[in-house]
Every structure is written in structure tokens, then in C-alpha cells.
Amino acid sequence: MNTDIFTGMYLLEAKEALHNEGVTNYRIVVTAPPRQTDREPDDYDRVISVDLKADPPQVLVCKT
């Protein structure tokens, strides 16, 4: 699967697309500006990358 298609999606959309591909177990990693303390994933964070080779697969998102 080409993981480049996830770049720029909202996390909500990426979750749905991963589920449609049969990927249900993955880890969400949140990045944000240095002084932003909220590191909880939100459905409207933007996906930066998806690594399906990691165990479990990893979804890197950026706070919006």
C-alpha cells in the first residue's frame, strides 16, 4: 500500500482508510510546536506520515 496517500489527511479520514485496508491496530504519535502542551490525538489533526513497517504500525500527526 502506498502510504503517501495519507499525508495531509485528517486523522479521522486516515483511521477510516486504514480500517478499510484491514489495519486496525496502530499507534498514533502526536507532534506539536514546542510550547504546546496538548499531546492528545484529535480527529482533526493532520497526518504527516504512516509507517506500516513498524510494529505496531505508526501514524504521525501534527496538531492543528
Side-chain angles (χ1 to χ4, degrees):
M1 171 191 326
N2 181 4
T3 58
D4 292 340
I5 63 170
F6 296 104
T7 303
M9 282 185 178
Y10 286 122
L11 179 57
L12 176 68
E13 298 167 335
K15 287 178 182 179
E16 184 177 327
L18 286 168
H19 182 73
N20 290 342
E21 292 293 327
V23 180
T24 57
N25 182 29
Y26 48 85
R27 183 176 143 208
I28 299 172
V29 179
V30 178
T31 186
R35 295 184 189 239
Q36 187 169 353
T37 57
D38 178 21
R39 300 290 177 159
E40 291 299 314
D42 182 333
D43 283 342
Y44 294 99
D45 292 342
R46 292 288 184 168
V47 174
I48 296 174
S49 69
V50 175
D51 182 5
L52 296 177
K53 296 176 186 167
D55 185 29
Q58 181 173 298
V59 179
L60 178 64
V61 298
C62 181
K63 296 303 284 182
T64 54

